[in-house]
Amino acid sequence: MSDNLKEDLELIKDRLDKLENKLEESHGEFSHQTGKSVGRDIGILYGIIIALLFIIIMLKFHII
Amino acid sequence: MVDKKEVIQGWPLETGDYSVGDSECPVAVVTLGSKMNDEVVGRGAAIAGPLHTENLGIEKVVTNIVSNPNIRFLIICGSEVQGHITGKTVEALYENGIDPETKSIIGSPGAIPFVENLPIEAVERFQKQLTIISMINNENLDEISAKIEECKANDPGAYEEDAMIVQLNEKEEEEDSEDSTFDLNASSSSAIDSSAIHMLEIETRIRSMKLEINEIGSLEKFSSGYYAGKVEGIVIGFILTLVLILIIFWSMGL
């Protein structure tokens, strides 16, 4: 294997490593964002239920 | 009564995770990724065992089958082995054979389908001697048993040629017996070929492990995002609902 070819291969490997890292980061970030949006939607439903229960309890004890 | 041939002493020749029943029975069963040797042998098969690798495993299967001319049917059942795809590889070996130069199984979907220790004559004999019955991804013992009975009923008798004995480590033994000073190049190239295949297999397995680790990582990220989003959502939902209800009460003059 010639020196030039070796150097080129090393360069390609370095670039592939960088690409691999970026891909992993993007994949992780994408998963995080997806999880967050799903969690937020479900959380809003929980929040509405908790707030309604809160209002009912307040009305029951004539606080409002 | 169909003709049977005497089974050679010490059959099956190759060791493995299999069970042996009546060696004059015409049916051999490969259970791929499923472990049900004794159950299948108990239902009348001559030999039954799993097949996890599409190279060394298939070499052993072929060796044990061509060394018993009484075996005329091979049932492939059980769950397919992910990545190695051994069931489809056996079918490809039966239908297409191997490339005489590279010793790769033609048309195999497996990762490393090389049968470097198997002579082409053994593969041809395997193709001629057998009829393959594909029941891939079927683990139903009743259906397998029914198929075994059907094969037994259609038994054409022993294959006309005698048992073919394949020595899987033949190359290494020959190399050992020859003068090492004159055969350094040949033996080292064979060792490199063999180790390259093993390295390729190791690399594939490492790659699949890395993929699984990445999947676990992304699942972890997803669940942490889900938790953070849920807390955020509860606060938003609670406040919005309170504000909305207070506005409704206020507009109603309560």
Side-chain angles (χ1 to χ4, degrees):
Chain A
M1 198 183 286
S2 70
D3 284 348
N4 273 343
L5 188 61
K6 248 184 180 177
E7 278 173 20
D8 286 347
L9 279 175
E10 287 300 319
L11 260 170
I12 291 167
K13 272 184 185 174
D14 284 346
R15 290 185 73 177
L16 278 174
D17 281 344
K18 279 179 193 168
L19 273 173
E20 215 172 51
N21 284 337
K22 274 189 182 172
L23 189 70
E24 269 175 34
E25 277 172 25
S26 308
H27 191 236
E29 191 58 33
F30 178 74
S31 298
H32 187 77
Q33 290 300 333
T34 313
K36 206 172 171 179
S37 86
V38 171
R40 195 191 295 125
D41 292 348
I42 291 168
I44 287 171
L45 290 176
Y46 275 123
I48 291 169
I49 292 164
I50 293 167
L52 288 174
L53 284 174
F54 180 73
I55 298 286
I56 289 166
I57 289 165
M58 298 288 255
L59 286 173
K60 189 92 179 162
F61 290 102
H62 303 289
I63 297 168
I64 53 170
Chain B
M1 187 75 184
V2 289
D3 288 337
K4 292 285 173 190
K5 284 193 176 171
E6 201 177 325
V7 179
I8 54 165
Q9 208 175 6
W11 184 82
L13 301 177
E14 286 300 320
T15 54
D17 181 18
Y18 50 68
S19 297
V20 182
D22 175 15
S23 55
E24 289 196 347
C25 170
V27 189
V29 181
V30 162
T31 60
L32 303 178
S34 308
K35 174 89 173 153
M36 42 189 187
N37 304 358
D38 294 332
E39 292 90 333
V40 174
V41 164
R43 288 170 192 239
I47 183 168
L51 177 59
H52 296 291
T53 52
E54 72 281 36
N55 33 57
L56 301 175
I58 286 181
E59 286 179 357
K60 288 185 175 193
V61 168
V62 172
T63 304
N64 285 337
I65 284 174
V66 297
S67 58
N68 184 350
N70 294 320
I71 293 176
R72 304 307 306 272
F73 298 96
L74 178 66
I75 297 176
I76 308 168
C77 58
S79 59
E80 182 66 285
V81 183
Q82 296 301 314
H84 298 283
I85 329 271
T86 48
K88 290 280 176 202
T89 302
V90 176
E91 286 179 10
L93 178 74
Y94 180 71
E95 283 162 17
N96 312 319
I98 59 171
D99 186 315
E101 284 176 12
T102 59
K103 290 282 184 90
S104 65
I105 298 169
I106 301 163
S108 162
I112 315 156
F114 293 95
V115 283
E116 56 161 350
N117 297 317
L118 222 50
I120 195 142
E121 295 80 27
V123 177
E124 285 169 358
R125 165 74 182 259
F126 177 79
Q127 290 170 311
K128 284 177 197 161
Q129 183 182 323
L130 284 179
T131 302
I132 279 194
I133 291 139
S134 179
M135 295 174 77
I136 297 173
N137 289 327
N138 188 342
E139 290 181 319
N140 188 323
L141 277 170
D142 291 333
E143 287 179 25
I144 295 166
S145 176
K147 199 51 94 175
I148 292 172
E149 290 305 322
E150 192 186 317
C151 292
K152 278 181 170 178
N154 297 322
D155 184 8
Y159 189 65
E160 63 261 31
E161 289 173 28
D162 286 334
M164 180 186 242
I165 293 161
V166 180
Q167 204 78 39
L168 287 184
N169 298 323
E170 203 171 23
K171 279 184 182 174
E172 284 166 23
E173 281 169 15
E174 276 173 10
E175 279 160 13
D176 287 345
S177 63
E178 281 170 13
D179 190 350
S180 59
T181 50
F182 294 109
D183 201 29
L184 266 175
N185 287 335
S187 72
S188 63
S189 72
S190 166
I192 287 166
D193 284 346
S194 165
S195 66
I197 290 169
H198 288 298
M199 284 301 288
L200 203 63
E201 188 173 352
I202 290 165
E203 206 180 305
T204 315
R205 293 173 90 170
I206 289 172
R207 204 178 296 151
S208 72
M209 281 159 78
K210 207 177 161 187
L211 266 176
E212 277 186 30
I213 290 167
N214 282 347
E215 263 176 40
I216 293 167
S218 84
L219 205 68
E220 184 64 32
K221 285 254 181 190
F222 181 87
S223 67
S224 77
Y226 175 81
Y227 181 74
K230 200 161 81 174
V231 172
E232 199 180 298
I234 288 173
V235 174
I236 294 169
F238 187 79
I239 292 169
L240 277 180
T241 312
L242 274 187
V243 169
L244 205 69
I245 287 172
L246 285 175
I247 289 170
I248 291 168
F249 279 2
W250 181 71
S251 64
M252 286 167 72
L254 290 169

